Amino acid sequence: MAEGDELDDSRAPLLDHLIELRRRLIWSFLALGACFLVCLYFARPIFAFLVQPLLHAGQGKLIYTDVFEAFFAQMKVAFFSALMLSFPIVANQIWRFVAPGLYTKEKRALRPFLLLTPVLFLSGAAMAYYLAMPLALHFLLGYKGDIGGVQQEALPAIGNYLSFVTKFLFGFGVAFLLPVLLMLLEAAGIVTRLQLRKGRRYCYVASFAVAAVLSPPDAVSMMLLAVPLCLLFELALILIWFTERKRAREATAA
């Protein structure tokens, strides 16, 4: 069978592709909307879960100075939770739109990345919640106390704390997708493992730059993200080495 015959029988004109894209977008927005309504109902318990690192750091009070701040914070919590909850459905819709245009071999190559993406994202978010955030909060709240006879007290606002949490969770979650990105670039022939090895020092510098952008502006938070990024880069090199060996075995067998 020729390689072109492996394509799905869906070589549709442009209008059909646009109709299919609209359908996938509608399903994605419906999934996001349904998840938002569910998360809005449970917004207070979700926010109660998100404030636990702050409570364990010894801060038992959150304030709001704007009348609407607490209301909009609940909206943000619901939307943030809905994004994470609906991600598998949205990713499935993207896959259903893209898959008909891929060869069978390309589909088999992409499936592991689709499975790895939510696992790595959740791993990054879990590390942020259970490790990075408590350490960062202990450090940042350590400035409370007496300074020259004046009592310095931390009174974080709801909106500021929510921005801090979402930046941590999304920053770590997205950063943990680095191995998937590098493996896709290598599979597409854009970079090779040898090039990545030679550019290791530049990748380390880039990891610290990314950590400075994605994490809150303090040295502890940056280090807590930059060091795992460097380790994930090394993990990507190991995984690429395994995929290279697998391709070599398949080529030899062919």
Side-chain angles (χ1 to χ4, degrees):
M1 181 183 291
E3 190 177 23
D5 296 336
E6 295 180 356
L7 282 168
D8 288 352
D9 299 328
S10 58
R11 293 185 174 227
L14 177 61
L15 183 59
D16 289 347
H17 285 304
L18 291 176
I19 293 172
E20 179 68 12
L21 176 62
R22 184 185 65 178
R23 189 189 331 173
R24 299 305 170 192
L25 288 174
I26 289 173
W27 278 111
S28 298
F29 282 117
L30 285 175
L32 179 61
C35 291
F36 175 77
L37 292 176
V38 173
C39 294
L40 184 61
Y41 182 78
F42 294 102
R44 289 183 70 86
I46 294 172
F47 194 49
F49 174 75
L50 293 177
V51 298
Q52 292 308 302
L54 184 67
L55 186 62
H56 293 155
Q59 180 68 29
K61 182 184 291 186
L62 279 173
I63 66 168
Y64 63 96
T65 55
D66 192 338
V67 176
F68 297 103
E69 188 175 2
F71 170 75
F72 283 121
Q74 295 222 15
M75 295 294 107
K76 290 178 183 178
V77 166
F79 183 70
F80 167 72
S81 305
L83 281 176
M84 300 189 72
L85 192 61
S86 64
F87 175 78
I89 302 172
V90 174
N92 181 262
Q93 293 302 313
I94 295 172
W95 171 253
R96 286 175 177 270
F97 177 73
V98 173
L102 300 176
Y103 295 111
T104 303
K105 182 173 67 174
E106 292 171 335
K107 290 179 185 178
R108 286 200 304 265
L110 277 175
R111 281 197 187 99
F113 297 117
L114 289 173
L115 295 174
L116 270 176
T117 298
V119 172
L120 288 173
F121 184 87
L122 290 175
S123 299
M127 180 181 174
Y129 181 84
Y130 290 106
L131 179 62
M133 282 175 54
L135 290 175
L137 287 170
H138 274 290
F139 172 77
L140 295 172
L141 295 175
Y143 290 96
K144 293 190 298 184
D146 183 80
I147 299 181
V150 176
Q151 190 69 21
Q152 183 169 270
E153 184 178 2
L155 292 174
I158 290 177
N160 290 337
Y161 178 73
L162 189 58
S163 298
F164 172 85
V165 170
T166 52
K167 197 171 185 180
F168 249 104
L169 296 181
F170 269 122
F172 273 72
V174 171
F176 267 56
L177 299 178
L178 177 65
V180 173
L181 174 62
L182 293 179
M183 291 177 72
L184 284 174
L185 291 175
E186 191 273 338
I190 298 174
V191 295
T192 63
R193 187 170 64 91
L194 182 60
Q195 290 174 331
L196 291 173
R197 284 181 58 192
K198 288 182 177 179
R200 180 181 273 116
R201 67 183 70 179
Y202 303 109
C203 290
Y204 283 179
V205 173
S207 297
F208 278 88
V210 169
V213 172
L214 294 179
S215 63
D218 64 275
V220 175
S221 302
M222 188 183 73
M223 290 298 295
L224 287 171
L225 181 55
V227 172
L229 277 178
C230 295
L231 296 176
L232 287 168
F233 173 77
E234 297 298 333
L235 174 63
L237 289 180
I238 295 172
L239 294 175
I240 290 172
W241 178 74
F242 278 112
T243 57
E244 283 181 345
R245 291 190 62 186
K246 181 181 178 182
R247 285 200 299 265
R249 286 197 302 269
E250 289 176 351
T252 303

